[in-house]
Amino acid sequence: MSASTLPISPEPSGREGGREGIDLGGGSSGCCVWFEEDVYTGTTGCTTHACVVVSTCLCCGQHMLVLLCQSSPDVRSTDMWRIEHNPQRSDLLSHLLRSSRGVRSLYSCWCHDRLCSASVLQLRLRQEEKLRQGRSNDKKLKKTCSLFSAEQPSKQRNKPHTSSGPGEVLWSGEPLRVYQSQDPVLVPSLCWRRVNRKTSVQLHPDMQAARGTVLFVLNGKEHKVSPDRVPVDTRLVDYLRYHVHATGTKVMCREGGCGACIVVASAPDLDKGARRVFSVQACQLLVYACNDWEIQTIEYLGDRYSGYHRIQQALAGFYGTQCGYCSPGMCMTMYGETQRKGALTAQQVEEALDGNICRCTGYRPILDAFKSLALDATPKLKTQLADIEEAYKSKCPRTGELCAGKLSDGDCRGLTKPTAASDNCSSLNNSSVSYLPSIISSLFLSSEPTDLTADSRLGVSDSTARWFYPVSGKGVMNALRLATPQDNVLLVAGNTGSGVFKNDGPYTMFISLDKVPEMQKVTQTSTSLKVGARVPLSTCIDAFRAAASGPSSLRGYAHLNQIADHWQVVANTAVRNNGSWAGNLMLKNRHNDFPSDVFLTLSVCDATLLIGNAVTGKPEHLKVIDFPAYDMTKKVIVGMSIPPMPANTQIRTFKITPRAVNAHAYVNTAMRLPLNAEFMVTSTPTLLFGGLGGHFVSASKTEQFLVGKRLSEERVVQEAARRLADEAVPAVDPHQGSVEYRQSLVQSLFYKAVVSILRDRVSRELRSAGEKLKRGLNSGQQDFDANSDTWPIGQAIPKIESLIQVSGEAEYGDDVPLLPGELHGQFVVSHYADARIDRVDASQALSLPGVVDFVTAADIAGKNSYYAQGLSLLPKPDILFAVERTIYHSQPIGLVVAEDRDTAHAAAKLVTVSYSDIKKPVLHAKDALKHNRVRECVGGDGKPYEGIHLHASSMSADQIKMTHQIKGEMEVNTQYHFPMELVIARAIPIEDGYDIVCSTQFPNETQSAVAAVLNVPANSINLSVRRLGGAFGVKISRCNLAACAVAVAAAKTRRPVRVFMDLQTSMAAMGWREPYYATYDVTVDSTGKFKKVNVQMYSNTGHVDNESSIATAALALHNVYDSPVWKVVPKNLTTDCAANTWCRAPGHPESIAIVETIIEHVAAQLNMDPLAVREINLLPDSPDKGPNVFKNSILPLLKEKADIDRRKRRVAQFNKENRWRKRGLSVTPLRYDFPFIPYFRYTALVAIYAHDGTVAISHGGIEMGQGINTKVAQVAAAILGVPMDLIKIKPTNTVIGANSMVTGGSYGTDTVCHVSEL
């Protein structure tokens, strides 16, 4: 672009909107921005002619310092320069300068206005050059731009001048130090003259592109991220997976709740002057918030090339993996906590894993693995760990010796002299100062205190948003001042709130608070505890405990121990490590109905907020209790102050949640009660409640009632509870539980607080009401017999994939690298369950840059159904893309395909669908019965199944008189399958059809469904599966939704397409476990023995009953029990829901729940022990059915080893002594019939290579955590008589595994092993 395109005009030609500007004409669409400039010009000797410009942007008022230089020919255009000097100005900002043959400078304004944001300007100093050569006659320019050579009189050197008049020397003689890379080079001294002028700069449209770079270290390597290739709102997990291809970091919920994406980070701790190391959720962390961070992923911890970390070895050696999808996150959580705290106790190990979900393994082996590394590990665990570490030793490729393992900092133990602390220290922990060049570090430094920290620091920007990196509170204010009414501003601390309110945004302005020192400080004084706004929750917890009971504890802060306990169950470890208390309050401010524990607890502590107002530039003080209604436009929380509490003040906080931790409260409360020695309320108390809705916080009427009342009086407590019920009326919110339930919780929690305060003043049997439930350490044991004669078959060994699972090397569907030109898809789903589709408008989505196409039913060449045959004898269509009318809420209408995942998701939200004839959906079983949506159950022969009708005998009239008739009904609700790996599908057009990668349990069914949708032969579809990250039934046929959709998209675009379904779409568009509804009519005698059992059971199958489990449930309902008369009638119900499907032991949990509810009902009715009712109804041994194993073997052994009778007596005694807290112990049998079903068939190929005798096996089963590959390898090793390390299991595909049945129901592993044996 010619320099003439960007003229510098001494005089403006006009003003517009209060800003001077110039119109270049010619239809230019660029931005014209005016700058006021102080120009300092001079020469740097014979090589460089330079002009330093001190500029003030009229848009934002920010100052900047720019060096415009004309370099010698030997300076390359790519050279980067950094300049340091002391210009005696306090308002200069740092700039990156680019030297070139011409005059080129990185000239940027930190203004929020996109039109004058960072751009590279080419400026010619032709007139100045003419002056230097004496060839110009422009007297005005000579007067204002006179140059002073380096040979000025010495009396002018190093003598600063404060005069700033035109033509006068401001300062001179300062050496100009130029840094190229890291080596300083002195340039001859300059003498500068100040000149005032105004400059108009026309920004060419091409120059309004992305700019700026964020730098951080990832796994020991420096990464530079800029908006031209990584969008400004990118999450770290997406950067790792799709930009770096570090796919060991998994992703599932994208809400910060599952722990699959945990990484370990080190960030500057501006309070302590060191670095803070912590585990963090990569799905919440914005990559542009990682400036100056150091990040380690599971790839850094250890792998098969460099050796495994002992954390990884422990998890694998203790059999702590099944599907393995959660294992990298588990390891990184433990690694992060050991770096943050040092060696852990067993209790700390359990607390650390409060945000890590494992769906399939179970936590006993996981906890045992990590507890073996704890300070207080049991001798048994330590011994087992030592054996594991010894077993994993191998030859080191660098030393040739036995591998000594890998240190936490990545160094090889064999090359490093071990020390006591060597394995507890990380490279992240050892660096007190990062070696990274910070993007916001000042490039013009001064030895004198300056006001450089007052800038707003625009770091990166693109056409959609800007990132600011201020380094002081004043800088935050400056950045906020730049926000326009159209801006959506996000003050970035941990961004953990994005997991709660996922629809907030998109944001156009990000302001990072990580570099603001005053926001990271924690200060204790005798009168207050002050905490900066950017202090994470975990640091607050430590500070609270220190103030309450530590060596530096303060008087009046003992209650902070209780607050710390409460915050310990807010979110989870990784969220608390990075999420700030102020960010939590901002969620409450934006969403008043958010049941914030932080808000309630700080309010009850009478905390005061310090708020910075960017408009007035003045601080504001506000009580936390008033914060939800406070207007925070262009304001920021700077910190808070917590005062001490008087000695006679009692504080109590509670929360009632679905889970003990990592869950929002149904109702939470914080109460402050000023009391005298007689428990009289001496002044107005504070009774705060959350979870009731945004309309309610404080029970002010009850508070006034309690003044002057004694809590020790029963009538006072009862009246207060009654007033609370009248005053604290919850809003209707299905997510928070029923109104009645939450209203009762308000009363119960008040009563709980009173009892906890009165303590010994209440009777012993009532005291448990005031206690919080405290869970002790988990423990478990496993005993099994081993027959070494059959080994390796039956030998207990870690899974053959366990080590690559714990290191993140195991490859799952979305871990496969993107192909060139590969597209990403996102479903557009319906908003109504039963409505006519009038119009689908994708024009706005298709106009979004990066969007390639929108795929609908019109693009389907074959059948518009993603259900082929499945396991149904009478399959019915399950529509892929809705046509004319929706069938269920969130039914896919189409698929947006785009160049990247984020664009596809953004575009899907822009597709608009118009509806009419919207009908109220039928969703529940009872509603379906009212609408007569009953369908016959189909049996294994394809005929209607009438159920079980068994009449062994009849009762006489006298016998009937001696019986009890018990009737009831029950519902077994639905269940989300919850695979850790969500459904992934890829379709790749190839020369003879399509390669399909899909997370499926049933490759044959997926192949058939895709072939039918595309209307191509089955041999055109090549499907392969390496492994699944859990399945549990949802990947039998529901995965075909994604597989068929990407196949249609690939056929249309002729490019590879992938869909990695997000959690929200997965839960809404695909069916779950079937909900059951049952009614029962049971007759028993006085001993509780069944005489007649009559059950009518219904399965809610969704909109189509292809995969109903009701027939299986009917057969399994009797469990281990006997009755002379059984009548079980199963029926299906269709509703306006997604088609429900098989889920882990389909039909069995439902039927067992029904019959066991009947047992409990009988026991309650007859006032009997439920176990006694179970025992009297156990099936007798019979020639036909064989012995009752539960009765003869399992139950007697369980009674003995679990000490059932003694524990039951202890439970009874405890319940007698405690009115409110109860214990229970139940023995519940579960029978799972396992007959061989002929259509469970599989194929296998065993290849033995002549080269070295190694073996490769591919079979028709699917490895999804159950260990099928390990067992197949064991069988093959035994049959072939070779070591297992000579055997490798290859991925399943539809060529070798053609026509293989679904892997499920516990049939796959044993059958595939048998096939491999043959």
Side-chain angles (χ1 to χ4, degrees):
M1 180 171 55
S2 170
S4 61
T5 310
L6 303 167
I8 298 179
S9 173
E11 298 294 337
S13 62
R15 295 176 178 266
E16 182 177 355
R19 297 178 182 179
E20 299 172 307
I22 185 170
D23 183 6
L24 293 183
S28 171
S29 59
C31 162
C32 184
V33 180
W34 278 101
F35 297 93
E36 292 179 347
E37 297 177 334
D38 297 333
V39 180
Y40 302 85
T41 62
T43 59
T44 59
C46 61
T47 60
T48 304
H49 170 219
C51 176
V52 175
V53 181
V54 181
S55 177
T56 303
C57 174
L58 295 179
C59 293
C60 63
Q62 295 301 301
H63 299 291
M64 61 201 69
L65 182 62
V66 182
L67 176 67
L68 308 176
C69 56
Q70 185 164 356
S71 307
S72 59
D74 59 322
V75 179
R76 295 173 307 205
S77 61
T78 57
D79 289 345
M80 297 294 297
W81 300 86
R82 192 174 77 174
I83 297 180
E84 295 182 15
H85 72 111
N86 182 0
Q88 299 296 319
R89 291 181 61 102
S90 61
D91 56 1
L92 304 181
L93 302 179
S94 57
H95 269 262
L96 290 174
L97 308 176
R98 185 186 301 274
S99 300
S100 67
R101 292 177 181 271
V103 182
R104 180 176 298 175
S105 170
L106 183 64
Y107 190 119
S108 56
C109 169
W110 269 268
C111 176
H112 174 75
D113 193 326
R114 298 178 192 174
L115 299 179
C116 62
S117 62
S119 302
V120 176
L121 308 182
Q122 291 182 323
L123 303 175
R124 294 185 306 162
L125 298 179
R126 181 175 298 169
Q127 297 299 324
E128 286 85 347
E129 180 66 17
K130 288 181 180 180
L131 284 174
R132 188 172 66 86
Q133 297 175 3
R135 296 188 289 108
S136 176
N137 295 320
D138 190 335
K139 296 181 180 180
K140 183 176 181 180
L141 188 60
K142 284 183 179 180
K143 179 179 179 181
T144 57
C145 295
S146 299
L147 300 176
F148 288 79
S149 68
E151 288 76 21
Q152 290 296 311
S154 59
K155 64 181 180 179
Q156 291 184 348
R157 291 181 178 275
N158 301 319
K159 182 179 179 182
H161 295 260
T162 57
S163 174
S164 58
E168 295 186 11
V169 175
L170 178 66
W171 58 271
S172 62
E174 279 290 327
L176 186 66
R177 292 187 294 163
V178 180
Y179 284 82
Q180 184 173 13
S181 299
Q182 300 295 324
D183 302 321
V185 179
L186 283 178
V187 177
S189 300
L190 305 177
C191 182
W192 305 94
R193 179 175 295 277
R194 173 175 175 168
V195 182
N196 291 324
R197 71 175 180 179
K198 296 180 185 288
T199 303
S200 171
V201 180
Q202 179 73 24
L203 300 190
H204 191 276
D206 295 340
M207 291 185 166
Q208 299 173 35
R211 54 87 64 188
T213 304
V214 164
L215 296 95
F216 56 88
V217 169
L218 175 62
N219 294 334
K221 297 180 180 179
E222 183 179 294
H223 282 242
K224 298 179 181 179
V225 180
S226 57
D228 56 345
R229 64 185 187 92
V230 181
V232 295
D233 57 352
T234 300
R235 307 293 176 95
L236 178 62
V237 69
D238 293 320
Y239 176 76
L240 294 174
R241 295 184 61 81
Y242 301 128
H243 294 270
V244 182
H245 195 62
T247 55
T249 301
K250 307 304 179 187
V251 62
M252 191 271 276
C253 71
R254 293 182 177 270
E255 297 177 358
C258 71
C261 64
I262 297 288
V263 299
V264 174
S266 168
D269 187 335
L270 304 183
D271 187 26
K272 298 179 180 178
R275 295 189 72 84
R276 184 174 65 91
V277 183
F278 53 97
S279 59
V280 64
Q281 308 270 11
C283 72
Q284 296 181 315
L285 185 60
L286 295 166
V287 70
Y288 285 92
C290 299
N291 183 46
D292 201 19
W293 283 30
E294 298 173 42
I295 299 167
Q296 290 180 355
T297 68
I298 191 67
E299 286 86 356
Y300 184 84
L301 198 59
D303 55 31
R304 65 186 186 276
Y305 301 107
S306 57
Y308 296 99
H309 193 279
R310 65 198 306 249
I311 290 177
Q312 295 169 316
Q313 292 177 357
L315 187 58
F318 275 86
Y319 315 103
T321 75
Q322 280 197 26
C323 80
Y325 200 80
C326 70
S327 301
M330 295 278 184
C331 291
M332 293 309 291
T333 293
M334 294 311 305
Y335 177 60
E337 285 303 287
T338 58
Q339 303 314 306
R340 189 168 76 93
K341 296 180 178 178
L344 305 177
T345 64
Q347 181 65 45
Q348 289 174 319
V349 166
E350 290 198 3
E351 292 173 354
L353 294 175
D354 60 4
N356 291 79
I357 294 175
C358 176
R359 173 65 171 91
C360 48
T361 305
Y363 288 91
R364 183 196 57 79
I366 296 172
L367 291 175
D368 282 352
F370 295 146
K371 286 178 181 178
S372 70
L373 303 166
L375 290 170
D376 54 350
T378 64
K380 181 180 179 181
L381 290 179
K382 288 182 178 179
T383 300
Q384 192 171 349
L385 176 65
D387 293 342
I388 290 168
E389 291 180 328
E390 183 66 26
Y392 283 132
K393 286 186 177 180
S394 58
K395 288 292 183 71
C396 176
R398 288 183 282 181
T399 66
E401 304 295 332
L402 280 178
C403 178
K406 187 176 180 180
L407 294 175
S408 299
D409 61 5
D411 292 335
C412 176
R413 288 180 184 273
L415 300 177
T416 308
K417 184 177 180 180
T419 63
S422 62
D423 199 48
N424 288 325
C425 297
S426 163
S427 59
L428 298 181
N429 240 340
N430 293 338
S431 55
S432 60
V433 180
S434 172
Y435 61 86
L436 285 173
S438 174
I439 190 67
I440 68 165
S441 296
S442 175
L443 302 182
F444 291 86
L445 303 178
S446 171
S447 59
E448 300 291 334
T450 68
D451 201 24
L452 289 175
T453 57
D455 67 78
S456 54
R457 304 287 174 129
L458 174 66
V460 295
S461 63
D462 65 9
S463 61
T464 62
R466 282 90 58 213
W467 271 86
F468 291 80
Y469 298 89
V471 293
S472 72
K474 185 175 181 181
V476 176
M477 302 298 171
N478 288 339
L480 283 172
R481 289 191 189 101
L482 306 179
T484 67
Q486 292 74 34
D487 275 315
N488 195 2
V489 182
L490 180 66
L491 294 164
V492 183
N495 195 45
T496 54
S498 62
V500 182
F501 299 103
K502 296 176 283 294
N503 295 322
D504 286 3
Y507 297 100
T508 59
M509 186 175 183
F510 299 86
I511 304 175
S512 172
L513 304 180
D514 274 355
K515 293 291 186 180
V516 183
E518 54 264 49
M519 290 189 177
Q520 293 194 25
K521 290 186 178 298
V522 178
T523 306
Q524 292 186 18
T525 68
S526 59
T527 58
S528 68
L529 175 66
K530 297 180 179 179
V531 185
R534 181 57 187 94
V535 176
L537 295 175
S538 58
T539 305
C540 289
I541 291 171
D542 295 339
F544 290 170
R545 297 199 190 282
S549 56
S552 58
S553 61
L554 304 173
R555 179 177 297 179
Y557 287 95
H559 62 285
L560 290 186
N561 259 331
Q562 189 172 171
I563 305 302
D565 290 341
H566 195 121
W567 285 23
Q568 192 71 47
V569 294
V570 171
N572 56 60
T573 297
V575 171
R576 294 192 298 270
N577 282 344
N578 199 35
S580 68
W581 62 268
N584 189 284
L585 289 185
M586 283 303 301
L587 294 181
K588 182 68 176 178
N589 181 268
R590 292 185 177 184
H591 305 273
N592 285 178
D593 58 345
F594 174 51
S596 169
D597 295 294
V598 173
F599 166 71
L600 288 184
T601 51
L602 291 181
S603 295
V604 85
C605 292
D606 200 29
T608 300
L609 298 177
L610 173 62
I611 296 174
N613 188 323
V615 177
T616 66
K618 296 180 180 180
E620 299 174 355
H621 295 86
L622 183 76
K623 294 293 185 181
V624 172
I625 188 67
D626 300 320
F627 186 68
Y630 193 67
D631 182 6
M632 285 296 291
T633 304
K634 291 199 175 185
K635 297 175 186 177
V636 59
I637 302 174
V638 178
M640 69 171 169
S641 176
I642 303 176
M645 282 289 139
N648 62 344
T649 299
Q650 295 285 341
I651 287 181
R652 295 293 185 271
T653 70
F654 305 104
K655 63 184 299 188
I656 305 299
T657 58
R659 298 175 300 278
V661 70
N662 201 23
H664 290 168
Y666 292 128
V667 172
N668 50 0
T669 184
M671 306 181 197
R672 184 175 71 241
L673 296 154
L675 304 171
N676 62 17
E678 299 300 322
F679 300 102
M680 177 181 288
V681 180
T682 57
S683 59
T684 304
T686 300
L687 306 179
L688 309 177
F689 294 92
L692 307 184
H695 68 288
F696 187 87
V697 175
S698 176
S700 56
K701 295 179 181 178
T702 308
E703 292 170 353
Q704 292 299 322
F705 164 77
L706 287 173
V707 176
K709 306 294 194 305
R710 286 186 171 86
L711 295 181
S712 55
E713 297 179 9
E714 182 179 344
R715 63 176 182 82
V716 171
V717 177
Q718 289 184 344
E719 178 61 20
R722 188 192 64 78
R723 289 172 179 258
L724 278 174
D726 293 338
E727 183 177 8
V729 179
V732 176
D733 185 348
H735 296 96
Q736 291 294 103
S738 69
V739 169
E740 295 77 14
Y741 172 62
R742 286 180 286 150
Q743 199 166 33
S744 69
L745 287 180
V746 170
Q747 296 175 301
S748 298
L749 292 177
F750 173 72
Y751 176 72
K752 188 177 187 70
V754 172
V755 173
S756 69
I757 292 171
L758 296 178
R759 289 180 295 185
D760 296 341
R761 295 288 293 270
V762 300
S763 61
R764 183 179 298 274
E765 63 270 17
L766 298 180
R767 292 176 193 172
S768 62
E771 300 171 0
K772 290 184 179 180
L773 291 175
K774 292 184 179 180
R775 185 173 184 174
L777 278 177
N778 287 281
S779 63
Q781 60 185 26
Q782 184 181 36
D783 296 320
F784 54 87
D785 297 327
N787 183 5
S788 59
D789 295 339
T790 66
W791 288 0
I793 297 176
Q795 183 178 5
I797 62 172
K799 288 172 53 208
I800 58 177
E801 301 99 338
S802 59
L803 280 173
I804 61 171
Q805 286 176 338
V806 299
S807 63
E809 297 169 283
E811 187 179 76
Y812 299 83
D814 192 58
D815 297 343
V816 179
L818 294 168
L819 292 173
E822 184 165 353
L823 302 174
H824 295 254
Q826 174 63 20
F827 285 106
V828 174
V829 299
S830 64
H831 296 159
Y832 298 97
D834 186 0
R836 179 185 296 116
I837 300 174
D838 292 334
R839 184 170 180 266
V840 179
D841 184 3
S843 58
Q844 190 176 359
L846 292 171
S847 66
L848 194 68
V851 175
V852 175
D853 213 332
F854 179 55
V855 179
T856 66
D859 301 306
I860 298 175
K863 297 179 179 179
N864 185 15
S865 171
Y866 65 93
Y867 193 80
Q869 177 68 38
L871 301 177
S872 176
L873 296 175
L874 300 173
K876 305 174 184 67
D878 203 343
I879 303 302
L880 175 58
F881 293 131
V883 180
E884 295 183 355
R885 195 169 190 89
T886 62
I887 303 173
Y888 57 92
H889 188 283
S890 295
Q891 181 185 9
I893 294 175
L895 185 78
V896 172
V897 287
E899 299 289 349
D900 60 80
R901 180 186 179 278
D902 288 341
T903 300
H905 279 248
K909 297 178 181 179
L910 298 178
V911 177
T912 59
V913 183
S914 301
Y915 303 91
S916 64
D917 190 24
I918 302 170
K919 297 182 178 180
K920 182 180 180 180
V922 175
L923 303 176
H924 304 291
K926 291 182 179 181
D927 293 334
L929 286 171
K930 292 178 182 178
H931 287 80
N932 195 28
R933 292 194 176 187
V934 182
R935 301 291 182 269
E936 294 295 331
C937 173
V938 178
D941 56 0
K943 298 179 180 179
Y945 178 62
E946 297 297 333
I948 298 174
H949 301 271
L950 176 62
H951 296 273
S953 62
S954 59
M955 292 183 292
S956 65
D958 292 337
Q959 289 176 322
I960 294 175
K961 291 180 181 179
M962 299 174 61
T963 60
H964 303 267
Q965 188 175 16
I966 299 172
K967 295 182 179 182
E969 64 177 13
M970 72 165 300
E971 291 184 82
V972 182
N973 215 331
T974 185
Q975 178 190 12
Y976 173 60
H977 294 77
F978 216 113
M980 293 299 291
E981 177 204 31
L982 300 174
V983 169
I984 165 71
R986 300 175 71 217
I988 306 164
I990 58 173
E991 62 182 43
D992 63 346
Y994 298 87
D995 283 343
I996 304 292
V997 175
C998 181
S999 53
T1000 176
Q1001 298 174 245
F1002 199 174
N1004 183 55
E1005 163 70 7
T1006 302
Q1007 180 191 40
S1008 298
V1010 171
V1013 166
L1014 295 181
N1015 195 25
V1016 299
N1019 64 1
S1020 299
I1021 307 300
N1022 311 310
L1023 191 145
S1024 63
V1025 183
R1026 163 70 78 174
R1027 63 175 56 83
L1028 304 183
F1032 317 112
V1034 73
K1035 297 177 182 178
I1036 294 176
S1037 66
R1038 301 301 87 190
C1039 58
N1040 297 348
L1041 173 65
C1044 292
V1046 295
V1048 175
K1052 184 179 183 182
T1053 62
R1054 297 173 185 169
R1055 292 169 63 177
V1057 180
R1058 79 167 62 191
V1059 165
F1060 189 19
M1061 294 184 69
D1062 61 274
L1063 181 62
Q1064 183 175 354
T1065 306
S1066 296
M1067 296 184 73
M1070 297 189 298
W1072 299 11
R1073 181 189 288 274
E1074 308 148 79
Y1076 270 60
Y1077 170 69
T1079 60
Y1080 55 84
D1081 183 354
V1082 180
T1083 302
V1084 297
D1085 64 18
S1086 58
T1087 65
K1089 188 171 179 60
F1090 289 149
K1091 295 302 179 181
K1092 182 179 69 173
V1093 177
N1094 187 351
V1095 178
Q1096 181 83 45
M1097 54 196 311
Y1098 302 91
S1099 166
N1100 181 345
T1101 64
H1103 74 90
V1104 65
D1105 57 349
N1106 281 328
E1107 295 176 339
S1108 170
S1109 63
I1110 193 73
T1112 303
L1115 291 170
L1117 184 127
H1118 63 86
N1119 198 10
V1120 295
Y1121 305 120
D1122 182 40
S1123 174
V1125 179
W1126 284 99
K1127 184 178 180 181
V1128 182
V1129 180
K1131 299 288 183 180
N1132 288 322
L1133 301 172
T1134 59
T1135 54
D1136 299 325
C1137 304
N1140 290 314
T1141 186
W1142 317 106
C1143 182
R1144 212 167 193 176
H1148 284 79
E1150 295 87 349
S1151 60
I1152 299 302
I1154 292 170
V1155 73
E1156 294 301 326
T1157 297
I1158 293 173
I1159 291 283
E1160 295 286 340
H1161 195 167
V1162 170
Q1165 190 79 12
L1166 301 182
N1167 196 25
M1168 293 179 61
D1169 182 350
L1171 182 56
V1173 177
R1174 289 184 172 94
E1175 289 186 89
I1176 200 169
N1177 284 295
L1178 291 176
L1179 277 166
D1181 298 340
S1182 69
D1184 297 335
K1185 298 181 180 179
N1188 187 327
V1189 179
F1190 176 76
K1191 175 183 178 181
N1192 300 336
S1193 302
I1194 297 176
L1195 184 56
L1197 182 63
L1198 184 64
K1199 283 185 173 182
E1200 177 187 349
K1201 300 203 72 172
D1203 201 5
I1204 297 296
D1205 292 335
R1206 183 183 64 86
R1207 292 167 70 183
K1208 284 174 63 178
R1209 290 193 296 270
R1210 290 177 57 187
V1211 166
Q1213 183 64 28
F1214 180 88
N1215 292 341
K1216 181 180 179 181
E1217 295 173 353
N1218 292 274
R1219 169 68 178 85
W1220 297 111
R1221 181 177 296 179
K1222 301 296 182 183
R1223 293 176 178 172
L1225 188 152
S1226 179
V1227 178
T1228 304
L1230 191 155
R1231 175 179 174 177
Y1232 185 76
D1233 289 326
F1234 192 67
F1236 176 72
I1237 302 175
Y1239 55 72
F1240 274 90
R1241 58 186 183 273
Y1242 306 89
T1243 60
L1245 173 68
V1246 180
I1248 304 175
Y1249 296 99
H1251 172 68
D1252 54 7
T1254 55
V1255 180
I1257 301 174
S1258 179
H1259 56 76
I1262 301 297
E1263 173 62 64
M1264 48 190 170
Q1266 81 278 41
I1268 188 173
N1269 288 344
T1270 301
K1271 291 185 177 181
V1272 167
Q1274 288 177 307
V1275 170
I1279 298 300
L1280 298 176
V1282 299
M1284 283 187 61
D1285 58 7
L1286 295 184
I1287 301 173
K1288 291 187 182 298
I1289 310 298
K1290 301 300 180 179
T1292 299
N1293 63 71
T1294 50
V1295 177
I1296 294 172
N1299 305 316
S1300 291
M1301 193 56 175
V1302 61
T1303 302
S1306 299
Y1307 291 98
T1309 298
D1310 289 346
T1311 310
V1312 168
C1313 285
H1314 181 65
V1315 172
S1316 302
E1317 180 183 7
L1318 297 177

